[in-house]
Amino acid sequence: MKDFFCHEQALCESAKIGARTRIWAFAHVLPKATIGADCNICDHVFIENDVVIGDRVTVKCGVQLWDGIVVEDDVFIGPNATFSNDRYPRSRQHLEKYPLTKIEKGASIGANATILPGLHIGAHAMIGAGAVVTRSVPPNAIVMGNPGRITGYVGTDRSRKATTSTHEVDAHGVQQLDVKGVTLRKLPQARDLRGSLVALEFEQHVPFSVNRSFVVFGVPNREIRGEHAHKVCHQFLVCLNGQCSVVVDDGTLRHEVKLDDPGLGLHMPPMTWGIQYQYSEGAVLLVLASHHYDPDDYIRDYGQFLSMTDKQTDAS
């Protein structure tokens, strides 16, 4: 006896369908497809053989999922979203193996969005309606437009940018953000007719010993920098010219900061996931670091970062 629902006008040829999944009218599921539990497959959906769908996935009307697509748990795919699996298609010519397109856990794909072959849509990312996604999308990113560009990150209060107004800082000009250990620091400035000067004293304004520095510049607006955390290294960021946005994340809370004044410094302690994006033309970002470069100190996978922060929480 089937423990899933299949509408009488749907064609479900697969035996690998999870419990309580619902397949509605005029949907067609090929024999080798796998669909998890508690999914909702709406009218006029086509699911090819080499497709794996996790649990609690919603696929709205008019979607075709082709060979090579993996959809993880809790994903939403909006009506008429379009996937492709061959960058150079020709009639009656087929690839021996189709590139893997993965939609990671909790992501949402808006109506009429187009996803090119072989891309990864990160966990909890949000793809806007009608977006044309030509490159892989990091976790939690919000992508809009054609071509798709990152316009924000899920979970940041973008209406409440961090500032250093007098009522938010302590006597030393330090503002504690919601994200664990991250602070925004007001640096002393002198301005007159001759120009402006910003002072930055190590171990006073910068709360650690500096052993390394580097400058980021010439970044096209659409490019994303960072996307990693450090195990032991502290970082201090100052935008010397122009502006950029920085997302800081401790695994539980996420905050977005706009650095648009050389008199503002952002301290990121170890185990802070950092992303820099939305660079203005001519932006120059100075980064001070507590340790020399060590590739083993980097955590570049967001899932690994979350698992490490979970272990730290359990240990405490």
Side-chain angles (χ1 to χ4, degrees):
M1 180 178 177
K2 294 181 180 179
D3 55 359
F4 65 92
F5 169 78
C6 184
H7 192 279
E8 62 182 8
Q9 291 182 303
L11 177 56
C12 181
E13 301 178 82
S14 173
K16 295 180 287 186
I17 310 295
R20 299 174 301 281
T21 284
R22 296 166 295 173
I23 300 173
W24 295 98
F26 312 112
H28 186 181
V29 182
L30 293 192
K32 296 180 181 179
T34 299
I35 301 176
D38 295 300
C39 294
N40 192 31
I41 310 300
C42 295
D43 290 14
H44 297 282
V45 169
F46 177 73
I47 300 175
E48 213 164 14
N49 280 302
D50 185 20
V51 174
V52 178
I53 298 176
D55 298 334
R56 299 174 300 280
V57 172
T58 295
V59 183
K60 301 300 285 185
C61 301
V63 174
Q64 297 87 41
L65 298 177
W66 309 108
D67 287 340
I69 295 178
V70 173
V71 181
E72 295 187 349
D73 297 346
D74 302 299
V75 166
F76 173 87
I77 301 176
N80 300 305
T82 298
F83 295 84
S84 56
N85 64 357
D86 187 344
R87 286 186 175 271
Y88 307 102
R90 296 290 188 186
S91 178
R92 302 178 65 84
Q93 295 182 23
H94 305 283
L95 300 177
E96 291 185 10
K97 184 175 179 59
Y98 290 95
L100 172 66
T101 299
K102 180 182 285 188
I103 315 299
E104 296 183 357
K105 183 175 181 179
S108 291
I109 311 296
N112 296 300
T114 299
I115 313 296
L116 266 60
L119 303 184
H120 285 206
I121 308 300
H124 304 287
M126 180 74 68
I127 309 301
V132 178
V133 182
T134 61
R135 300 193 297 177
S136 291
V137 175
N140 304 302
I142 301 169
V143 172
M144 300 177 67
N146 179 8
R149 295 187 179 184
I150 295 175
T151 61
Y153 281 81
V154 174
T156 61
D157 186 350
R158 305 185 70 209
S159 64
R160 188 170 58 89
K161 301 289 188 187
T163 63
T164 53
S165 60
T166 54
H167 68 279
E168 294 176 316
V169 301
D170 63 19
H172 303 288
V174 177
Q175 178 187 350
Q176 178 69 54
L177 303 188
D178 298 334
V179 176
K180 183 178 179 180
V182 177
T183 56
L184 193 67
R185 294 168 179 257
K186 188 173 184 178
L187 305 175
Q189 299 186 49
R191 300 176 184 270
D192 61 28
L193 293 176
R194 299 169 297 171
S196 301
L197 179 149
V198 174
L200 197 159
E201 297 189 9
F202 296 163
E203 298 184 50
Q204 178 178 339
H205 304 126
V206 181
F208 54 83
S209 297
V210 176
N211 281 290
R212 178 172 171 254
S213 67
F214 57 92
V215 174
V216 179
F217 62 97
V219 180
N221 179 268
R222 66 177 293 178
E223 296 300 325
I224 310 298
R225 304 281 307 186
E227 293 188 293
H228 61 255
H230 289 280
K231 299 172 186 175
V232 298
C233 184
H234 292 254
Q235 289 190 314
F236 192 86
L237 281 61
V238 181
C239 195
L240 301 178
N241 187 66
Q243 66 181 42
C244 69
S245 293
V246 183
V247 175
V248 287
D249 182 338
D250 61 14
T252 302
L253 296 174
R254 193 173 302 118
H255 198 116
E256 184 172 327
V257 178
K258 180 180 286 186
L259 294 181
D260 57 0
D261 185 337
L264 296 179
L266 180 69
H267 172 220
M268 296 171 53
M271 295 304 296
T272 303
W273 187 266
I275 301 165
Q276 301 93 49
Y277 76 118
Q278 291 186 335
Y279 284 81
S280 65
E281 184 177 357
V284 177
L285 180 67
L286 170 67
V287 182
L288 307 176
S290 63
H291 290 66
H292 296 291
Y293 174 73
D294 178 3
D296 292 334
D297 187 53
Y298 284 72
I299 307 167
R300 299 187 182 277
D301 180 83
Y302 187 71
Q304 180 188 2
F305 168 72
L306 291 179
S307 66
M308 293 175 71
T309 57
D310 288 343
K311 289 177 181 177
Q312 286 186 342
T313 301
D314 293 341
S316 63

